[in-house]
Amino acid sequence: MLRQLFGKNIVSKYHTQTFKSIYNTVQQQSQQNAQKPLTSLKEINGWIKSIRLFKNICFIDINDGTINSSLKIVIPELVSYENSIKFLKDLKVGQSISIKDLLIQLTPTKAQQPFELKLLNDPTKSINILGGIPAGEDFPLQKKNHTMAFLNSLPTLKFKSNYLNNLLKFRSFVDTQLINFFNKNDFIKTTPPILTSNDCEGGGDLFTIKDSEKYFNKSTYLTVSTQLHLEILALSLNRCFTISPCFRAERSNTTRHLCEFWMLEAELCFTKDLNEVMDLVENMIRSIVNEALKNEQSLLPNYYPGDVLNKEQILERWQSLTNPASWPRITYSDTIRLLLKQHMKEPFTNGIIPSWGMDLSTEHEKWISGKYFQSPVFITDYPKSLKPFYMKQNPPSEFKIQDNQGNIQQTQIQNTVACFDLLVPEIGEIVGGSLREDNYKVLADEMKLRNMNKDSNLDWYLDTRRYGSVPHGGFGLGMERLLTYLYGNTNIREAIPFARSASDNIQL
Amino acid sequence: MLRQLFGKNIVSKYHTQTFKSIYNTVQQQSQQNAQKPLTSLKEINGWIKSIRLFKNICFIDINDGTINSSLKIVIPELVSYENSIKFLKDLKVGQSISIKDLLIQLTPTKAQQPFELKLLNDPTKSINILGGIPAGEDFPLQKKNHTMAFLNSLPTLKFKSNYLNNLLKFRSFVDTQLINFFNKNDFIKTTPPILTSNDCEGGGDLFTIKDSEKYFNKSTYLTVSTQLHLEILALSLNRCFTISPCFRAERSNTTRHLCEFWMLEAELCFTKDLNEVMDLVENMIRSIVNEALKNEQSLLPNYYPGDVLNKEQILERWQSLTNPASWPRITYSDTIRLLLKQHMKEPFTNGIIPSWGMDLSTEHEKWISGKYFQSPVFITDYPKSLKPFYMKQNPPSEFKIQDNQGNIQQTQIQNTVACFDLLVPEIGEIVGGSLREDNYKVLADEMKLRNMNKDSNLDWYLDTRRYGSVPHGGFGLGMERLLTYLYGNTNIREAIPFARSASDNIQL
């Protein structure tokens, strides 16, 4: 019967159906009052989540990992089957089983699940244990609300928890949604290299391949950003992006840093205004949130470990991001003015007096985004000295600080670049982008100024401005930071299944 | 006007429209007889592909990288504009320009392009050069059919060639189509780690991170396959996959090997029969080919460098893959029998006499797939000794060799594993998969037999069989090999934009 139902599916020959596909089929059919609804299942497979055994009836909750809430198996009339009570008593949470000969019964509309499954035969004959639990032991994940510390102590089992299981699925959704968004907007998905001989950007933060000279006749590193290579591709494809692992040999062990992380990077040509790049970023994140609210609320956690946002709080955050008002865009200079004003009122705990030319600290970033605007905010046009060599240089401008009477206290000539950071409350920076310097001479001069012209591995990059250069821009988005912001986990390490960060022992 | 047309697009604030979106809009409208069709364009941006200047009219072919064939700009009535002839004479192929004030004119149905663009004003005022070509030089890519060797000599420009530009887009299509296929079938997209302490599988083929002990207190390597980590995730998610870079420190420089390549790996639980995994692989590849034939023929090359398949030959290959007959599935033992029979008739050039227990050589693989079956073919149930420790062991079987009279010459007891390689004509292996050994004791014994139990970094892997183990299986697909097969390029290095392979100098 199932074979008929799924016969037109592309994986027509599959023998095993996921709970998700069963669930969707039954729900669709009951809504459509199907003529020949799916009423029985030949076999299902899953892990036991809970067992409630009574005198003449038994309920087993079972999940195969594809849905958020378990399916309920009802085993009635136990007295009619010999040995069934003893058999069911011996079942354990965590075991994997297959069950044959089930009848689908729709439940009243108020029930948690739209249907339950009734076993038609002798449980000792219909239920087959595929994988057991060692004798004398219990399955370690018995509670629904284990702490994150406890979950992390079980690195091969922790993804069976409701929270981390759904977080993995949410990551899959965000990843796919990003790809759909870029495809719709004529961006080509590409694969810039991970191994690179470019050592100019990160300095000490690079991982080096041992004995790489043997293979490539050069010192070779793991990429910290694919941008420079992506620009080559953009100059042929016009718009392109990648979702790639990137690596930074960070020694700092914070809740915001990973040594191995995934980055979405995009480049687009014929971009004359930084606002176009910011529009793209804003629309991209909004498209994820809109789709999540519309179709993916089933990925919100039913149970969660301690310190993270719960279901209602995540929904609230998503809702706030659909506010139609554009996210504020404010220059670095204006940000310094705001920070200075705030500092006069109530000094920041880090003790730094905000001044033009300094990098924003995490505390500053969180205040601007979380306290002052209470919204994602784009900070634009940072000092040139704080940013990499490839960013497009703005015309020099004056920076004026006024006193309370509006008199100008100080005027400086400032060199800035056409760039932005997107800051979000609680996390800080999640996206950084800029226009790229497309003028050969300006870029060559800047590389010279930064002593990058001698023995440089980046002559090829300069070359991309030689024939038919175009105004272009792009950005990089830290996937784990975005996920952490959207799902409300407290540590970025929860947003990637096997975190690699400083002073971690790699357990597995 | 464009702003209105694209007002409901998610990137509503964009100022720049790609040729692809203009093209699609005009084509849709002319088919639908739109009431207010798109008739003018405020501004377009692109690179000059060719210029034909006559006495009173000029044609410029321009492309912005998003479509296969260029758009034609018609500049009429040159005599009415002063200086226009000199201005147009100075334009060069390869320059990037923006053009204002264009009228869209539909062309007769037989024309190559469904429309052309007529310039309404003085070209010296409407055309703006964004990026030039150095004085005294010509754009290096003048011809449409440059050889691959010549293209490879221009690593930052080669993707502007029609062939490699479309190959990049085809890769993007295949990547996206794979993701859609797996999403439809309830697989979750995941990110297993690239940095790993697992050194058990590849032996000498691992890239090592220099000084990794400083960061992770352990020797750390680049992954050769994400499978073992993926299995952990599958045991929670049921079905999952990844498209990740993998690394092999190969010293052999062939047309089939890369040091850095992308691999699609998938795992699925509750899989009791190897045929389920092969069904998945076959359906996956067919879904790409069907979609390519239906919607992506525009990605076929108009021009191609030398030795590769041309448009018609690629189409023929795709068509052959839609043949409804299942691809042959044949055991390793039967393959050895076939090879031996062939060897008696006409010895293979490599001189190896096919015998049970040996690994198949590339020549053998190509003969079986390309000559004997002339189809993709699954070879199953290889000797245990040829395969990794984690593959599910088949019951021991007898291998019999008969002479021409049907008399049994030889009988051996053979230990095989439930695995397969998918071989395709001309390339050889592109997919390898198996059922995984899910029995704790059998797996532990096998690891002991292979001396993997002492000081092993893989205790965690064994642990995945401890609590609620399930029958499961999976496979790995080499992305560049699949692309090479489907697009017909001759060297796998053309299927990845920045190839890393042995004895390559990393140029960029």
Side-chain angles (χ1 to χ4, degrees):
Chain A
M1 173 129 201
L2 262 177
R3 290 290 284 280
Q4 268 182 310
L5 262 167
F6 292 86
K8 283 175 188 169
N9 197 311
I10 196 136
V11 283
S12 55
K13 298 180 205 162
Y14 264 34
H15 309 301
T16 319
Q17 298 299 328
T18 65
F19 283 18
K20 189 176 176 187
S21 71
I22 296 169
Y23 194 100
N24 287 343
T25 306
V26 174
Q27 203 157 34
Q28 271 170 30
Q29 289 180 336
S30 71
Q31 279 163 6
Q32 293 165 358
N33 293 313
Q35 291 270 309
K36 283 186 181 179
L38 182 64
T39 52
S40 67
L41 289 167
K42 222 179 140 196
E43 184 182 324
I44 65 166
N45 300 277
W47 288 276
I48 297 174
K49 291 290 172 180
S50 78
I51 310 160
R52 279 149 295 143
L53 177 61
F54 301 99
K55 211 170 180 180
N56 197 27
I57 194 167
C58 180
F59 302 100
I60 301 179
D61 285 343
I62 182 171
N63 200 328
D64 75 341
T66 63
I67 58 175
N68 200 343
S69 302
S70 307
L71 290 185
K72 194 203 268 180
I73 313 287
V74 184
I75 312 172
E77 294 163 55
L78 293 181
V79 288
S80 36
Y81 305 115
E82 231 180 311
N83 299 326
S84 62
I85 297 282
K86 186 187 172 331
F87 175 80
L88 293 169
K89 245 187 194 156
D90 286 345
L91 289 181
K92 281 178 173 181
V93 169
Q95 281 177 329
S96 64
I97 57 176
S98 74
I99 313 184
K100 278 183 201 152
D101 308 317
L102 292 157
L103 194 70
I104 295 175
Q105 292 187 315
L106 299 184
T107 49
T109 42
K110 279 181 190 170
Q112 261 202 320
Q113 291 288 356
F115 63 95
E116 54 190 30
L117 302 171
K118 188 176 163 188
L119 190 67
L120 295 175
N121 289 324
D122 183 345
T124 63
K125 290 191 180 118
S126 302
I127 298 178
N128 182 24
I129 297 169
L130 300 172
I133 303 290
E137 283 191 59
D138 279 330
F139 185 61
L141 284 175
Q142 293 280 343
K143 268 182 15 179
K144 287 170 173 171
N145 273 332
H146 287 294
T147 64
M148 195 62 77
F150 180 76
L151 291 177
N152 283 331
S153 74
L154 301 166
T156 62
L157 291 174
K158 67 181 183 180
F159 305 106
K160 288 175 180 269
S161 71
N162 181 270
Y163 187 78
L164 290 178
N165 192 281
N166 279 305
L167 184 43
L168 283 177
K169 287 175 184 156
F170 185 70
R171 179 170 185 139
S172 178
F173 154 70
V174 169
D175 195 326
T176 305
Q177 180 61 26
L178 285 169
I179 292 165
N180 290 342
F181 172 83
F182 281 101
N183 279 340
K184 260 185 217 154
N185 289 292
D186 300 340
F187 282 75
I188 303 298
K189 188 162 187 279
T190 64
T191 50
I194 310 301
L195 297 175
T196 173
S197 60
N198 164 22
D199 60 349
C200 288
E201 230 201 324
D205 288 350
L206 289 166
F207 283 114
T208 307
I209 304 297
K210 202 170 158 186
D211 299 330
S212 47
E213 294 79 3
K214 273 205 303 198
Y215 299 95
F216 308 115
N217 295 320
K218 249 185 210 186
S219 293
T220 307
Y221 313 95
L222 296 183
T223 191
V224 294
S225 155
T226 66
Q227 180 203 314
L228 304 191
H229 291 92
L230 206 56
E231 281 184 64
I232 292 181
L233 300 177
L235 286 168
S236 299
L237 295 167
N238 194 329
R239 297 181 178 185
C240 61
F241 74 109
T242 187
I243 303 179
S244 291
C246 291
F247 301 84
R248 294 206 182 151
E250 305 242 17
R251 303 300 294 267
S252 58
N253 191 3
T254 77
T255 58
R256 307 197 315 153
H257 290 94
L258 292 165
C259 287
E260 174 182 332
F261 57 100
W262 286 70
M263 187 139 72
L264 180 140
E265 292 182 278
E267 290 289 322
L268 62 164
C269 287
F270 304 109
T271 310
K272 294 150 195 167
D273 182 342
L274 189 63
N275 282 300
E276 288 182 59
V277 187
M278 289 189 278
D279 289 351
L280 179 68
V281 169
E282 187 167 340
N283 287 326
M284 169 188 77
I285 295 177
R286 283 175 185 272
S287 91
I288 297 169
V289 174
N290 287 334
E291 182 63 22
L293 278 168
K294 207 171 139 199
N295 291 320
E296 302 297 338
Q297 292 200 23
S298 68
L299 300 182
L300 292 167
N302 288 338
Y303 306 98
Y304 49 93
D307 242 6
V308 301
L309 294 196
N310 65 28
K311 197 169 183 159
E312 289 68 35
Q313 290 167 320
I314 297 173
L315 272 175
E316 202 179 304
R317 181 168 289 183
W318 291 358
Q319 285 292 357
S320 77
L321 287 171
T322 63
N323 186 325
S326 274
W327 299 338
R329 296 174 188 189
I330 176 178
T331 64
Y332 167 89
S333 296
D334 284 342
T335 305
I336 292 293
R337 283 187 195 95
L338 283 175
L339 289 171
L340 196 58
K341 214 165 152 187
Q342 172 64 16
H343 186 78
M344 303 300 193
K345 257 200 286 181
E346 191 189 335
F348 289 101
T349 57
N350 62 22
I352 303 166
I353 301 169
S355 68
W356 204 97
M358 71 166 205
D359 215 348
L360 302 184
S361 72
T362 305
E363 189 183 1
H364 294 145
E365 289 184 352
K366 288 186 179 175
W367 179 81
I368 280 284
S369 170
K371 291 274 166 61
Y372 188 81
F373 287 111
Q374 295 174 30
S375 156
V377 51
F378 292 98
I379 313 286
T380 68
D381 304 288
Y382 281 70
K384 193 183 88 169
S385 58
L386 292 178
K387 293 291 180 183
F389 71 99
Y390 51 70
M391 291 189 175
K392 191 168 181 66
Q393 299 182 25
N394 290 322
S397 60
E398 287 186 343
F399 179 65
K400 292 172 186 158
I401 298 179
Q402 301 175 331
D403 62 19
N404 289 338
Q405 277 76 46
N407 302 317
I408 290 162
Q409 284 193 313
Q410 218 187 330
T411 304
Q412 284 178 276
I413 299 296
Q414 308 294 5
N415 292 311
T416 61
V417 282
C419 72
F420 66 86
D421 281 357
L422 175 64
L423 313 181
V424 300
E426 295 178 54
I427 313 279
E429 184 202 340
I430 61 170
V431 181
S434 78
L435 298 183
R436 316 309 188 186
E437 184 56 68
D438 59 304
N439 182 293
Y440 184 91
K441 185 158 183 327
V442 176
L443 183 63
D445 288 348
E446 185 62 28
M447 288 172 79
K448 213 167 173 180
L449 205 70
R450 298 190 189 218
N451 284 316
M452 291 169 65
N453 56 325
K454 287 161 201 153
D455 193 29
S456 169
N457 286 321
L458 282 180
D459 287 347
W460 59 265
Y461 181 70
L462 191 54
D463 259 7
T464 57
R465 275 62 171 169
R466 197 184 284 273
Y467 300 102
S469 182
V470 294
H472 64 287
F475 68 89
L477 159 78
M479 288 290 287
E480 288 78 15
R481 287 194 181 179
L482 174 69
L483 285 162
T484 298
Y485 177 56
L486 293 180
Y487 211 74
N489 45 296
T490 47
N491 191 323
I492 197 171
R493 302 174 60 198
E494 292 143 15
I496 190 166
F498 305 92
R500 304 302 189 220
S501 60
S503 318
D504 265 349
N505 292 352
I506 293 187
Q507 292 178 282
L508 47 89
Chain B
M1 175 127 201
L2 261 179
R3 289 290 286 280
Q4 269 181 309
L5 261 168
F6 291 87
K8 280 173 187 168
N9 196 311
I10 199 137
V11 283
S12 55
K13 296 178 205 163
Y14 264 34
H15 309 302
T16 318
Q17 298 299 327
T18 63
F19 283 16
K20 187 176 178 186
S21 71
I22 295 168
Y23 194 99
N24 287 344
T25 306
V26 174
Q27 202 158 33
Q28 270 169 31
Q29 290 179 335
S30 70
Q31 278 163 7
Q32 292 164 0
N33 294 314
Q35 292 270 309
K36 285 186 184 182
L38 182 64
T39 51
S40 66
L41 290 166
K42 224 179 138 196
E43 185 183 322
I44 64 165
N45 300 278
W47 288 276
I48 298 175
K49 291 289 171 180
S50 76
I51 310 162
R52 278 150 294 144
L53 178 60
F54 301 98
K55 210 169 181 181
N56 197 28
I57 194 166
C58 181
F59 303 100
I60 301 179
D61 285 344
I62 181 172
N63 200 327
D64 77 340
T66 64
I67 57 174
N68 199 345
S69 302
S70 307
L71 291 184
K72 193 203 270 179
I73 313 287
V74 184
I75 312 172
E77 293 163 55
L78 293 181
V79 289
S80 37
Y81 304 116
E82 233 180 312
N83 301 325
S84 62
I85 297 280
K86 188 189 172 327
F87 175 79
L88 293 170
K89 245 187 194 156
D90 286 347
L91 289 180
K92 281 179 173 179
V93 169
Q95 280 178 331
S96 65
I97 58 175
S98 75
I99 313 184
K100 278 183 202 155
D101 308 318
L102 292 156
L103 193 71
I104 295 175
Q105 291 187 315
L106 299 184
T107 48
T109 42
K110 278 181 188 168
Q112 260 204 319
Q113 291 288 356
F115 62 96
E116 54 190 28
L117 303 171
K118 188 176 164 190
L119 190 67
L120 296 173
N121 290 322
D122 184 345
T124 64
K125 291 192 178 114
S126 301
I127 299 179
N128 182 26
I129 297 169
L130 300 172
I133 303 290
E137 284 190 55
D138 280 330
F139 185 61
L141 285 175
Q142 293 280 345
K143 271 185 10 187
K144 288 170 172 172
N145 273 332
H146 287 293
T147 64
M148 195 61 79
F150 180 76
L151 291 176
N152 283 331
S153 73
L154 301 167
T156 62
L157 290 175
K158 66 180 185 181
F159 305 106
K160 289 176 182 269
S161 70
N162 180 271
Y163 187 78
L164 289 178
N165 191 280
N166 278 307
L167 183 44
L168 283 176
K169 286 174 184 156
F170 185 70
R171 180 171 185 138
S172 177
F173 154 71
V174 170
D175 195 325
T176 304
Q177 180 60 27
L178 285 169
I179 292 165
N180 290 342
F181 172 84
F182 281 102
N183 279 340
K184 259 186 220 152
N185 290 294
D186 299 341
F187 282 75
I188 303 298
K189 189 163 187 280
T190 65
T191 51
I194 310 299
L195 297 175
T196 174
S197 61
N198 165 21
D199 61 349
C200 288
E201 227 199 324
D205 288 350
L206 290 166
F207 283 114
T208 307
I209 303 296
K210 203 171 158 186
D211 299 330
S212 47
E213 294 80 3
K214 274 205 304 199
Y215 298 95
F216 307 115
N217 295 319
K218 247 184 210 185
S219 291
T220 307
Y221 314 94
L222 296 183
T223 191
V224 294
S225 155
T226 67
Q227 180 204 314
L228 305 190
H229 290 93
L230 206 57
E231 282 184 62
I232 293 180
L233 301 177
L235 286 168
S236 299
L237 295 168
N238 194 329
R239 297 179 180 188
C240 61
F241 74 109
T242 187
I243 303 179
S244 291
C246 290
F247 302 84
R248 295 207 181 149
E250 305 241 17
R251 303 299 293 269
S252 58
N253 191 5
T254 77
T255 58
R256 308 195 318 151
H257 290 93
L258 292 165
C259 287
E260 174 182 332
F261 57 99
W262 286 71
M263 187 140 71
L264 180 141
E265 293 183 277
E267 290 289 322
L268 62 164
C269 287
F270 304 110
T271 309
K272 295 152 196 166
D273 182 343
L274 189 63
N275 282 301
E276 289 182 59
V277 187
M278 290 188 278
D279 288 350
L280 180 67
V281 169
E282 187 167 339
N283 287 325
M284 170 187 76
I285 295 176
R286 284 174 184 273
S287 90
I288 296 169
V289 175
N290 288 333
E291 182 64 22
L293 277 169
K294 207 169 140 201
N295 292 321
E296 302 296 339
Q297 292 199 23
S298 68
L299 300 182
L300 292 168
N302 288 338
Y303 305 98
Y304 49 94
D307 241 8
V308 302
L309 294 198
N310 65 27
K311 199 169 182 160
E312 289 66 37
Q313 291 167 319
I314 297 173
L315 272 175
E316 201 180 304
R317 181 169 289 185
W318 292 358
Q319 286 292 358
S320 77
L321 287 171
T322 62
N323 186 324
S326 275
W327 299 338
R329 296 175 187 188
I330 175 176
T331 64
Y332 168 88
S333 296
D334 284 341
T335 305
I336 292 292
R337 282 187 197 97
L338 282 176
L339 289 171
L340 197 56
K341 214 165 151 187
Q342 172 65 17
H343 185 79
M344 305 299 193
K345 254 198 289 182
E346 188 187 338
F348 290 100
T349 57
N350 62 22
I352 303 166
I353 300 170
S355 68
W356 204 98
M358 72 166 203
D359 215 347
L360 302 185
S361 71
T362 306
E363 189 184 0
H364 296 145
E365 288 184 352
K366 287 185 180 176
W367 179 82
I368 279 286
S369 171
K371 291 273 168 61
Y372 188 81
F373 287 110
Q374 296 175 31
S375 155
V377 51
F378 291 99
I379 313 285
T380 68
D381 304 289
Y382 280 72
K384 194 183 87 168
S385 57
L386 292 178
K387 292 292 180 183
F389 70 99
Y390 50 70
M391 292 190 174
K392 192 167 180 70
Q393 299 181 26
N394 290 323
S397 61
E398 287 185 346
F399 178 68
K400 291 172 190 160
I401 298 179
Q402 300 175 332
D403 62 19
N404 288 338
Q405 279 73 48
N407 302 317
I408 290 161
Q409 285 194 312
Q410 216 187 333
T411 303
Q412 282 178 280
I413 298 296
Q414 310 293 4
N415 291 311
T416 60
V417 284
C419 71
F420 67 86
D421 281 357
L422 174 64
L423 313 182
V424 298
E426 294 180 53
I427 313 279
E429 184 201 340
I430 62 170
V431 181
S434 78
L435 298 182
R436 317 308 189 187
E437 185 54 70
D438 60 302
N439 182 293
Y440 184 90
K441 186 156 181 327
V442 176
L443 184 62
D445 288 349
E446 185 63 27
M447 287 171 79
K448 212 168 171 178
L449 205 69
R450 298 191 189 217
N451 284 316
M452 293 170 62
N453 57 325
K454 287 160 200 153
D455 193 30
S456 171
N457 285 322
L458 284 180
D459 287 347
W460 61 264
Y461 181 72
L462 192 54
D463 259 9
T464 56
R465 274 61 171 170
R466 196 183 285 273
Y467 300 102
S469 181
V470 295
H472 64 287
F475 69 89
L477 159 78
M479 289 290 285
E480 288 79 14
R481 289 193 180 180
L482 175 68
L483 286 162
T484 298
Y485 178 55
L486 293 180
Y487 210 73
N489 44 296
T490 47
N491 191 322
I492 196 171
R493 302 174 62 200
E494 291 143 17
I496 189 165
F498 304 93
R500 306 303 190 218
S501 61
S503 318
D504 264 348
N505 291 354
I506 294 187
Q507 292 178 282
L508 45 89

